[in-house]
Amino acid sequence: MVVGDISQERDLVIIGGGPGGYSAAIRAAQLGVSVTLIEQEKLGGVCLNRGCIPSKVFTYAAKKQSETGHMKELGLFVGETSFNLNKLLSYKSKVTDQLRSGVETLCKANKVEIIKGKAGLIGEDRIGVENGHQFDIYTFKQAIIATGSSPVLPEGCPKNNKRMLLSQEIFDLQELPEHLIVYGHDYISLEVASSFHALGAQVTILLEDTDDFIFDSSITKELNRLLKKKKIKVYKEAKILSAEETEAGIDVRFRTQGKEEDVSGTHLFAAGNRKPNVEDLGLQRFGIEQNVNGFIKIDRNMRTTVPSIYAIGDVTEGPLLAVKAIKQGKAAVESIAGGNPEVDLAFLPTIVHSIPPIASVGLTEQQAQNLGIDLRVNQFALGSNGYAMITGNKDGFIKVVTDASNDIILGIHMIGEGAVELSSTFVQLLEMAAKEEDAKFPAFAHPSMNEALLESVEGLIGQAIHTVPKGKRQKESSLSFIR
């Protein structure tokens, strides 16, 4: 190893080139801060190269596959449909390569210095970077840790099993599973189950250590109905006891609701937990505090217990989501540049790119009830929406929860086509402490899925146009309700 003779000076050093890291670097450059970005692998991090983007390539392909039946109804000849996994993997590589190239171009255009190598702290203001036989030392004024997290196998799942896959491996699989067993209950578990089922795999879900999906009860009920309709078997309160590889696949023994069961498949996907990538940084030597799970403690400005060092994204406490990392990264450099930014994750949306997709923002009905709030609740079925009828996406609904004492919207929950795109509107309404009237006042495009939001709010007081009045309903489960 060649060690640099002298320490090189830098203003701001960012360790990690994922969404949080490169967003922070570009924002720093925009604010006139000289910035150096250190990444040991590929720019874009796990999210762009092995996580968020590859997974959405699969969910998008699955969505298109699920639409072929409706295309025939529209008179569009699609012939005999078949799925070619190799073509999808090639497309995934094309997309990730183009996006990564775009990030590199943006960094270059913003004069962000990029250094390739593995970084570790060697002082409160010094960092060492190893790249092959080269080892360089940099002195910095401020540093941001943005090294992300890695999946950890659940108990009972040995990693020497080639048919046992984690989130960063499932989308590199070279063959479509005949029978995929999904172990987990988070958004990625649902996306994997939904997309691989649509692409032709048999799917079984083992809900890890929970008695149901963690959404508003109405969303959960509808989700279970749709999974049953698709013949996706769900085992609740499941805990894997063993997973043994066989010549044909994998045999899983698990406990579910007090009894032991067996299921055999060709592959097992486990969402697992995640641990922060901080082991090689040397945090403890310099008094950077972590919680019991190893996540770095930060203040409202993303500063750690060492004033010159900040941390963002998956290495910090809270949701392990790219949107959090991006928001924190921008806020950290704005604080370094002398600003007073705010990061409030109270209305961070829960998003699932399943078929159909799910978006949830704010309080569920159950949470609001537990707070003793007098509620108005309404649910508008997408089957009553004109554009949903046109597109054939009639499954699902929008549910609105408001405070009856002041009309303030407390939560909005949607399962159905358009949920991901509409989630930004849901967030804006809750961020501005909007009242029912604020959601009803604007003109909504017609026909559009957006109108379902309007009618779900109008239905709170019985004024939804495309809902049968209370007392005259024939099929309560498919229509709006008020309570």
Side-chain angles (χ1 to χ4, degrees), residues 275-432:
K275 65 176 182 178
N277 296 328
V278 296
E279 291 180 355
D280 299 326
L281 291 175
L283 303 182
Q284 295 174 341
R285 287 181 292 166
F286 308 105
I288 297 176
E289 290 187 15
Q290 300 165 262
N291 70 10
V292 293
N293 295 314
F295 293 96
I296 300 173
K297 295 182 179 181
I298 56 175
D299 65 14
R300 64 184 301 274
N301 291 317
M302 276 50 71
R303 185 184 278 114
T304 71
T305 45
V306 173
S308 59
I309 300 175
Y310 296 69
I312 64 170
D314 281 10
V315 297
T316 66
E317 299 173 286
L320 306 182
L321 297 171
V323 63
K324 182 191 80 169
I326 293 168
K327 196 168 186 65
Q328 286 182 328
K330 294 174 182 176
V333 295
E334 287 167 7
S335 177
I336 289 169
N340 187 30
E342 180 182 359
V343 175
D344 186 348
L345 304 177
F347 299 123
L348 193 67
T350 296
I351 300 295
V352 187
H353 286 258
S354 49
I355 303 173
I358 299 169
S360 180
V361 182
L363 296 178
T364 65
E365 181 180 357
Q366 295 72 35
Q367 290 169 335
Q369 285 176 341
N370 292 339
L371 293 172
I373 301 172
D374 184 19
L375 301 179
R376 269 201 290 267
V377 180
N378 187 58
Q379 187 171 307
F380 181 80
L382 296 184
S384 298
N385 175 271
Y387 198 70
M389 183 67 70
I390 293 169
T391 61
N393 295 302
K394 297 179 287 184
D395 286 325
F397 54 81
I398 298 182
K399 179 176 181 176
V400 179
V401 180
T402 68
D403 187 330
S405 68
N406 55 23
D407 296 350
I408 290 178
I409 299 173
L410 303 175
I412 307 178
H413 311 277
M414 180 177 181
I415 179 169
E417 188 62 30
V420 176
E421 289 72 21
L422 274 168
S423 66
S424 297
T425 300
F426 303 164
V427 171
Q428 284 184 319
L429 287 170
L430 269 69
E431 287 283 7
M432 63 182 282

Side-chain angles (χ1 to χ4, degrees), residues 48-228:
L48 191 158
N49 296 288
R50 302 186 68 190
C52 315
I53 300 302
S55 69
K56 300 312 172 281
V57 169
F58 271 73
T59 58
Y60 179 73
K63 177 178 179 295
K64 290 301 179 184
Q65 177 69 22
S66 69
E67 293 174 349
T68 55
H70 183 61
M71 290 171 66
K72 293 176 181 178
E73 283 191 280
L74 294 171
L76 299 173
F77 179 73
V78 293
E80 291 297 322
T81 59
S82 61
F83 171 57
N84 187 318
L85 180 59
N86 289 331
K87 290 284 289 183
L88 183 60
L89 291 173
S90 295
Y91 182 73
K92 180 199 71 171
S93 297
K94 175 184 174 182
V95 170
T96 55
D97 288 348
Q98 288 179 340
L99 289 173
R100 186 171 57 253
S101 176
V103 171
E104 292 168 353
T105 299
L106 287 169
C107 287
K108 183 177 180 180
N110 282 280
K111 295 182 172 55
V112 173
E113 179 187 27
I114 298 175
I115 296 176
K116 186 173 180 60
K118 183 178 180 180
L121 293 169
I122 55 177
E124 292 187 5
D125 63 349
R126 289 196 305 162
I127 189 170
V129 180
E130 181 182 351
N131 185 12
H133 298 293
Q134 183 72 26
F135 186 83
D136 295 307
I137 298 173
Y138 299 89
T139 301
F140 57 80
K141 294 179 181 177
Q142 283 97 16
I144 298 175
I145 299 170
T147 48
S149 65
S150 299
V152 179
L153 276 168
E155 189 179 344
C157 299
K159 188 57 192 93
N160 58 359
N161 193 321
K162 295 180 181 179
R163 293 179 179 272
M164 231 232 63
L165 306 161
L166 289 166
S167 58
Q168 291 164 217
E169 301 164 333
I170 185 74
F171 303 110
D172 289 329
L173 199 59
Q174 298 297 308
E175 58 180 344
L176 183 70
E178 290 182 26
H179 182 186
L180 178 63
I181 303 166
V182 175
Y183 184 44
H185 62 261
D186 62 352
Y187 77 96
I188 191 66
S189 299
L190 268 176
E191 290 180 355
V192 167
S194 180
S195 57
F196 276 88
H197 175 268
L199 294 173
Q202 178 186 347
V203 173
T204 298
I205 298 176
L206 308 181
L207 282 182
E208 183 182 6
D209 293 332
T210 183
D211 62 356
D212 221 328
F213 296 100
I214 306 174
F215 299 106
D216 180 273
S217 61
S218 299
I219 298 286
T220 296
K221 182 179 179 181
E222 176 70 356
L223 178 58
N224 279 308
R225 183 188 72 82
L226 292 173
L227 290 172
K228 185 176 181 180

